[in-house]
């Protein structure tokens, strides 16, 4: 294992800047997930760490070594791609053994390593098959196995589960967690899928337009998003955003939208006070909006017209229009009787409000 450090790393293609000032410190043994929308620079960042892409500016260190000019084969990394990149004419066993044979490892040692990997991944019964005789999930397991047998300092993953169907993806997520326990290795995992980011990462790095937006544990990112982009990208259904005026009313500070007016809890009031009153963006996660009137005395109720419902079995997601805004509420009891275009009361948990600056979209803290 080794730690990985990126210092002021930039990547430009001509005048196009695709990775900007990336600073990241990944301690030995950590599993870090880079997540963000397509085109935000995740793969480029990973490929620069792998040495498959040159860097325009900055420093990349693996262990104590600066690897800027080191070819990929000397970086002691193993990489898994979305397309499994297996040798189609070779059996599973030979695919797994290939890298070790190239390095002239004795066959007996190869056999031991391959057995170790196939046991972890449940590939034993498939060793004599060719990749074309395997399902997508099995092929991806072979690709993982090829990394395991090499005992690299670092695992790099680029969207390894994106070609699999939803059920298999969920299963492979669990296998990746198990793999972590059996083969602890510093890992950098790229995905556009926020569920993979939340479930796999010790820490999550959210990227947008080539820049890091926030680095934190999954819960830090979810509970304290640094800005509106992070808040909207992480979480499904996505956070609701409303444009509000912050006004003084009686002894209280309230966030007033066309849809409703809500008293801001004291702790947050002080923060908003610091920047004077005015406009802000209020963010509320769907799970903090409940169907039915407020139960607590400090809660608030608004009326919405039911516009969409999504029945998920364990919960229902309800979209209600209030003034101009479609507001999504989740965790509605699945057997709730509810009709489209009906008006219904909704309530907001006042202790779960997020506020963002109108101009910078940074969280107001
Ligand atoms: P992601 O993996 O987050 O989807 P990438 O790192 O693959 O994004 O790409 C980031 C940006 O860099 C994209 O806008 C992409 O079009 C651009 N890009 C990638 N490779 C090249 C290249 N060889 N030449 C020019 N632009 C590129
Ligand atoms: Mg990519």
């Amino acid at each position: 294992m080794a730690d990985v450090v990126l210092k002021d790393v930039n990547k430009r293609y001509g005048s196009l800047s695709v990775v900007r000032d990336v600073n990241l410190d990944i301690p030995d043994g950590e599993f870090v997930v880079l997540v963000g929308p397509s085109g935000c620079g995740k793969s480029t960042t990973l490929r620069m760490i792998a040495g498959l892409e040159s860097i325009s500016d900055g420093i990349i260190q693996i262990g104590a070594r600066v690897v800027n000019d080191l070819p990929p084969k000397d970086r002691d990394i193993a990489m898994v791609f979305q397309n499994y990149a297996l040798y189609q004419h070779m059996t599973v066993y030979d695919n797994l053994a290939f890298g070790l044979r190239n390095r002239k490892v004795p066959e007996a040692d190869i056999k031991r390593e391959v057995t170790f990997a196939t046991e972890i991944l449940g590939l034993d019964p498939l060793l004599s098959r060719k990749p074309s005789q395997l399902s997508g999930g099995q092929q991806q397991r072979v690709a993982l196995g090829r990394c395991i047998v090499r005992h690299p300092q670092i695992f790099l993953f680029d969207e390894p589960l994106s070609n699999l169907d939803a059920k298999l993806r969920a299963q492979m997520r669990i296998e990746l967690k198990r793999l972590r326990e059996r083969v602890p290795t510093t890992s950098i995992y790229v995905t556009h899928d926020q569920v993979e980011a939340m479930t796999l990462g010790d820490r999550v790095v959210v990227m947008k337009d080539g820049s890091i937006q926030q680095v934190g544990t999954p819960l830090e990112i979810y509970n304290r998003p640094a800005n509106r982009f992070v808040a909207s990208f992480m979480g499904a259904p996505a956070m609701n955003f409303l444009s509000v005026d912050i006004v003084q009313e009686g002894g209280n500070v309230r966030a007033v939208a066309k849809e409703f007016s809500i008293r801001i809890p004291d702790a947050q009031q002080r923060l908003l006070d610091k920047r004077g009153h005015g406009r802000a963006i209020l963010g509320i996660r769907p799970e903090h909006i409940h169907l039915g009137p407020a139960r607590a005395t400090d809660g608030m109720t608004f009326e919405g017209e039911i516009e969409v419902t999504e029945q998920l079995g364990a919960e229902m997601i309800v979209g209600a229009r209030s003034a101009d805004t479609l507001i999504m509420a989740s965790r509605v009891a699945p057997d709730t009787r509810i009709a489209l275009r009906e008006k219904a009361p909704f309530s907001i948990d006042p202790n779960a409000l997020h506020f963002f600056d109108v101009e910078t979209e940074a969280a107001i803290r």
Side-chain angles (χ1 to χ4, degrees):
M1 293 198 283
D3 60 337
V4 179
V5 178
L6 281 73
K7 280 187 199 148
D8 301 321
V9 170
N10 281 274
K11 178 67 182 180
R12 288 179 292 273
Y13 290 107
S15 62
L16 183 70
S17 174
V18 299
V19 173
R20 302 159 200 248
D21 299 324
V22 164
N23 284 285
L24 198 56
D25 213 327
I26 303 170
D28 200 4
E30 192 175 54
F31 196 111
V32 164
V33 178
L34 307 186
V35 68
S38 175
C40 72
K42 306 179 295 292
S43 294
T44 305
T45 304
L46 199 73
R47 292 169 60 81
M48 287 191 288
I49 296 169
L52 299 171
E53 205 71 71
S54 66
I55 66 179
S56 306
D57 269 326
I59 293 171
I60 297 181
Q61 266 175 246
I62 298 178
R65 243 179 355 167
V66 172
V67 298
N68 285 22
D69 300 316
L70 216 57
K73 65 176 176 43
D74 296 332
R75 296 193 183 193
D76 202 3
I77 48 154
M79 192 154 170
V80 184
F81 301 90
Q82 178 175 352
N83 61 354
Y84 320 113
L86 301 177
Y87 299 108
Q88 293 301 319
H89 60 286
M90 288 184 198
T91 63
V92 168
Y93 186 96
D94 290 338
N95 264 285
L96 292 171
F98 184 78
L100 299 177
R101 282 184 182 144
N102 262 355
R103 286 193 275 152
K104 310 272 185 284
V105 175
E107 273 306 315
D109 294 342
I110 292 178
K111 185 153 202 301
R112 200 185 58 240
E113 291 300 345
V114 170
T115 306
F116 174 69
T118 52
E119 217 173 77
I120 291 175
L121 297 165
L123 288 171
D124 290 319
L126 308 173
L127 285 174
S128 55
R129 292 211 198 157
K130 300 266 177 70
S132 61
Q133 299 165 306
L134 301 176
S135 69
Q138 290 166 335
Q139 290 187 49
Q140 194 54 292
R141 265 182 223 127
V142 178
L144 286 172
R146 222 170 28 181
C147 293
I148 295 172
V149 298
R150 291 182 40 204
H151 296 286
Q153 298 232 55
I154 297 164
F155 283 146
L156 301 177
F157 300 94
D158 194 351
E159 311 244 8
L161 308 187
S162 294
N163 280 356
L164 307 178
D165 63 49
K167 193 170 173 201
L168 202 48
R169 270 207 307 273
Q171 194 182 323
M172 287 299 285
R173 280 205 307 268
I174 292 167
E175 294 208 11
L176 281 169
K177 292 212 121 169
R178 202 175 295 145
L179 175 62
R180 280 203 63 182
E181 282 166 34
R182 295 286 308 271
V183 192
T185 306
T186 312
S187 301
I188 308 172
Y189 186 105
V190 160
T191 180
H192 65 274
D193 181 327
Q194 43 124 351
V195 176
E196 279 173 33
M198 290 292 290
T199 54
L200 290 172
D202 294 326
R203 282 192 306 159
V204 175
V205 178
V206 184
M207 293 183 69
K208 179 194 172 213
D209 298 338
S211 302
I212 292 181
Q213 304 292 303
Q214 187 171 5
V215 181
T217 65
L219 268 190
E220 280 165 6
I221 300 262
Y222 192 81
N223 290 335
R224 290 174 65 78
N227 57 40
R228 179 181 174 158
F229 173 79
V230 175
S232 67
F233 191 76
M234 302 299 278
M239 188 183 276
N240 296 287
F241 295 100
L242 295 139
S243 185
V244 293
D245 284 311
I246 310 292
V247 299
Q248 190 92 36
E249 254 181 45
N252 297 324
V253 178
R254 304 184 72 87
V256 179
K258 263 194 234 142
E259 298 80 359
F260 52 73
S261 154
I262 184 168
R263 181 174 177 277
I264 300 171
D266 294 344
Q268 267 176 317
Q269 268 185 31
R270 282 195 293 278
L271 294 169
L272 289 167
D273 280 345
K274 260 194 276 181
R275 44 191 295 286
H277 294 175
R279 293 180 68 70
I281 298 161
L282 169 62
I284 313 170
R285 292 215 181 269
E287 64 265 32
H288 298 131
I289 299 182
H290 314 286
L291 181 61
R295 275 161 271 173
T297 48
D298 61 347
M300 65 84 45
T301 308
F302 69 93
E303 193 173 68
E305 185 179 311
I306 309 292
E307 199 167 292
V308 287
T309 60
E310 287 186 299
Q311 180 59 266
L312 298 177
E315 65 169 333
M316 189 157 55
I317 295 165
V318 175
R321 187 162 296 276
S322 180
D324 304 336
T325 314
L326 183 66
I327 297 176
M328 303 302 289
S330 63
R331 299 193 191 159
V332 176
D335 54 357
T336 308
R337 292 172 69 109
I338 197 165
L340 291 184
R341 284 177 293 282
E342 196 175 87
K343 285 206 158 56
F346 290 84
S347 55
I348 296 173
D349 185 346
N351 296 308
L353 307 178
H354 300 261
F355 289 95
F356 303 96
D357 188 276
V358 174
E359 268 93 50
T360 66
E361 302 201 334
I364 302 169
R365 297 242 159 78

